[in-house]
């Protein structure tokens, strides 16, 4: 098993932790990461864009003028697509963008994403994040001590102190361990995790 240094919020190393090679140090399969990001982004799409066809636009039930004798092209309805106010010929229709990925693929993709951060030395493990109070300034100072920008912070459970302190900081996101996902791990180039969160992920992905 690989080892990683464990720090406190003042950047003092307090111990070392063995982390599972099966979760944090697997062979990175970038195609799985790509598929999982596509899957997550597709699931977010509402798919509610729609336009009316000529049969759905109100009005236009009457033939605009007689068939012959006017010198104009024959017309049956003023709600045809080439008229102003007419229906759309090939407009969008509501659709579902979701597609299926197997559970094993989802797990493997998350392991690959976590391994990218560990292998690139972008993973920082803390024994705990205890600011003493809700303070955006204190949280920003803690990140500054580690020289971290654009960071995903993963905690093991409810921690309003951390969540409220971080919510006004740009490019910082706090997630509980059960909410960790491939998209957010790849979106934020730095990953900070508590020891408890590491253990939870190891148990969930084993």
């Amino acid at each position: 098993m690989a080892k990683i240094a464990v720090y406190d919020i003042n950047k003092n190393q307090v111990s070392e932790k063995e982390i599972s090679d099966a979760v944090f140090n697997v062979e990175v399969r970038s195609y799985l990461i790509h598929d999982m990001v596509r899957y997550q982004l597709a699931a977010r799409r509402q798919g509610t864009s729609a336009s009316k066809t000529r049969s759905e636009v109100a009005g236009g039930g009457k033939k605009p003028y007689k068939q012959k004798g006017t010198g104009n092209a024959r017309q049956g309805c003023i709600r045809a697509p080439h008229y102003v106010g007419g229906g759309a010929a090939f407009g969008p229709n509501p659709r579902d963008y979701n597609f299926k990925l197997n559970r094993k693929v989802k797990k493997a993709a998350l392991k690959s994403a976590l391994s990218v951060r560990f292998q690139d030395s972008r993973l920082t493990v803390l024994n705990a994040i205890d600011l003493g109070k809700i303070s955006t300034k204190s949280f920003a100072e803690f990140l500054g001590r580690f020289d971290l920008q654009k960071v995903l912070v993963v905690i093991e459970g409810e921690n309003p102190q951390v969540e409220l302190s971080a919510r006004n900081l740009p490019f910082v996101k706090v997630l509980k361990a059960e909410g960790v996902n491939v998209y957010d791990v790849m979106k934020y180039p730095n990953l900070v995790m508590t020891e408890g969160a590491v253990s939870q992920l190891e148990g969930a992905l084993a």
Side-chain angles (χ1 to χ4, degrees), residues 6 12 24 103 161:
V6 178
N12 299 315
F24 289 94
R103 191 182 309 159
Q161 190 186 97

Side-chain angles (χ1 to χ4, degrees), residues 56-74:
E56 296 167 323
V57 177
K62 180 183 176 183
K63 189 173 175 69
Y65 47 81
K66 64 181 183 177
Q67 180 88 344
K68 296 179 180 294
T70 66
N72 296 316
R74 57 194 176 186

Side-chain angles (χ1 to χ4, degrees), residues 143-158:
L143 294 180
R145 284 192 288 273
F146 287 87
D147 195 23
L148 294 175
Q149 297 176 338
K150 297 184 180 179
V151 58
L152 176 65
V153 180
V154 182
I155 54 180
E156 64 265 27
E158 293 286 343

Side-chain angles (χ1 to χ4, degrees), residues 55-205:
S55 66
E56 296 167 323
V57 177
K62 180 183 176 183
K63 189 173 175 69
Y65 47 81
K66 64 181 183 177
Q67 180 88 344
K68 296 179 180 294
T70 66
N72 296 316
R74 57 194 176 186
Q75 303 292 335
C77 176
I78 61 169
R79 290 296 177 250
H82 59 281
Y83 276 106
V84 173
F90 300 103
N93 293 310
R95 57 169 290 189
D96 183 6
Y97 290 91
N98 291 339
F99 59 92
K100 188 178 185 304
L101 279 183
N102 293 331
R103 191 182 309 159
K104 286 183 179 180
V105 171
K106 294 177 183 179
K107 274 191 173 185
L110 183 52
K111 289 177 182 179
S112 285
L114 293 171
S115 297
V116 167
R117 291 291 170 255
F118 173 69
Q119 293 168 12
D120 290 347
S121 300
R122 295 279 190 165
L123 172 62
T124 303
V125 178
L126 303 175
N127 60 347
I129 306 177
D130 185 8
L131 303 174
K133 60 180 179 179
I134 296 171
S135 171
T136 300
K137 180 181 178 181
S138 297
F139 197 90
E141 289 173 349
F142 141 63
L143 294 180
R145 284 192 288 273
F146 287 87
D147 195 23
L148 294 175
Q149 297 176 338
K150 297 184 180 179
V151 58
L152 176 65
V153 180
V154 182
I155 54 180
E156 64 265 27
E158 293 286 343
N159 192 335
Q161 190 186 97
V162 173
E163 294 168 283
L164 295 177
S165 295
R167 68 177 177 178
N168 285 332
L169 292 172
F171 311 116
V172 175
K173 185 169 185 176
V174 176
L175 287 178
K176 291 188 277 293
E178 60 265 27
V180 173
N181 60 87
V182 173
Y183 176 79
D184 282 324
V185 171
M186 300 310 298
K187 178 181 178 181
Y188 296 90
N190 295 294
L191 179 60
V192 172
M193 301 181 68
T194 61
E195 279 190 282
V198 170
S199 298
Q200 280 190 24
L201 276 176
E202 289 176 337
L205 297 175

